[in-house]
Amino acid sequence: MFIAISAVILVAIAIGLLRAFLGPTLYDRVLAANMSGTLTVLMVAVLGFMTGRPEFLDIALVYVLISFVSTIAVLRVCGTGCGASRDPEADSGEG
Amino acid sequence: MSNLKHAFNMTLFLFAIWLLLSGHYTLLLLIFGLLSTLLIVLLAHRAELIDREIHPVLLKPSLLPYWLWLAREMIKSNIDVSLRILNPRMPISPKIFTVRAGQKTDLGRVTYGNSITLVPGTVTVDVDDDIFTVHALTQEAAADLESGEMNRRVCNVENVF
Amino acid sequence: METVIYILSWIFLLGGAIFLLVGAIGILRFPDFYTRLHAVSVCDTMGAGLVLAGLMLQGGFSLVTVKLLLIFYFMIFTGPTAVHALAQAALQGKLKPVVDEHEQQ
């Protein structure tokens, strides 16, 4: 049964990554990466239960925070520019 | 010298979490845990993060009715959005509009903005003082938010902070 | 009693998995960036919440439950913040939202 749940989560991650590849704008890609991060946390937690090793939850706990920080970091580095828009005024700063 | 009190509270809180999560209770490791806690408090002090906002106020038991109400709203709109996703015709009507937040404090506004985003169907896109720009997936979700019930509830909760 | 909790936990896990899948389908189907935010919202709140609740029931009352609660707590607080930061960056990046015309007078 845990295998079924983790299979569903894997399919969802795959769809999210598909959107990250397709994504017309930068923001779609970051959004898809953010969702994949959430799903990865759940995947790690379910895997911990499947293999009977609750230590995996510590990894999941850290991964929640890293996934959040990574989203914010990407937005910090290329917030409103980075080819997200063809408008030259939007590409201000060091993007 | 209320900053010292806040720092002390933060140290206690972080060390309690460390004790809870580590599971090692020998003297040496306890000292290491205390040292790492103090290091974090020192870093937070250098980053000037220690003020009254470090308290986890959103965990206060008197906020429980609000949490339960929010959970019910979340479940309702989750099912609504899910059905719209699965519907082959996809009956969505996106809309951008502004709402006025009635909260006085920053913390109240953060709570309101986060609550709007947490409920699927509405996302806070921009915050300009007390004017929130909100993107709604459907006209119904927008009308629901504009009726102002959430605003009123967050205002009630704000007095607890 | 144990059987009830066991069955309930699997109902939660399966429901959570369904919501996660629906959210993933939503992020693929929705027409523009701002509407996709709502699909991610479904994944973040309902999907994650139900899966973690199911795992909590499986784990019983122990340190495992506390850790799962902490994961849920962080998710509930970081999720909207990340989504809001993205939405605001997109708005300032001059990304125009698709709005339903015939509903706007």
Side-chain angles (χ1 to χ4, degrees), chain B residues 5-161:
Chain B
K5 204 184 88 208
H6 290 314
F8 183 69
N9 281 344
M10 190 178 174
T11 314
L12 272 188
F13 185 67
L14 289 177
F15 193 59
I17 290 182
W18 187 90
L19 280 180
L20 192 64
L21 291 182
S22 79
H24 295 288
Y25 300 115
T26 57
L27 186 62
L28 181 70
L29 286 170
L30 280 179
I31 291 173
F32 282 161
L34 194 60
L35 283 180
S36 57
T37 311
L38 287 175
L39 182 67
I40 287 171
V41 174
L42 187 70
L43 286 177
H45 173 69
R46 282 181 56 95
E48 295 178 358
L49 287 176
I50 297 182
D51 49 24
R52 62 176 284 276
E53 286 181 13
I54 63 161
H55 289 285
V57 281
L58 291 170
L59 287 180
K60 277 189 182 163
S62 48
L63 293 182
L64 200 62
Y66 178 70
W67 279 114
L68 289 178
W69 178 79
L70 191 64
R72 219 186 57 223
E73 288 295 300
M74 265 159 58
I75 291 171
K76 263 198 311 200
S77 54
N78 258 309
I79 292 171
D80 181 58
V81 172
S82 303
L83 290 180
R84 281 170 202 276
I85 289 172
L86 292 179
N87 194 322
R89 288 184 296 110
M90 223 165 40
I92 59 170
S93 46
K95 185 187 178 188
I96 279 222
F97 61 103
T98 57
V99 290
R100 181 177 283 275
Q103 289 78 32
K104 300 279 180 298
T105 60
D106 282 349
L107 196 53
R109 283 178 193 155
V110 168
T111 311
Y112 187 40
N114 265 2
S115 301
I116 292 175
T117 312
L118 212 47
V119 174
T122 48
V123 170
T124 320
V125 180
D126 205 359
V127 177
D128 183 19
D129 236 8
D130 64 341
I131 309 283
F132 288 7
T133 309
V134 179
H135 183 276
L137 186 63
T138 60
Q139 305 285 329
E140 292 85 53
D144 216 26
L145 189 61
E146 277 172 331
S147 73
E149 199 192 347
M150 183 185 275
N151 189 11
R152 195 172 51 73
R153 281 178 186 268
V154 179
C155 280
N156 286 342
V157 147
E158 197 187 11
N159 305 326
V160 182
F161 293 161

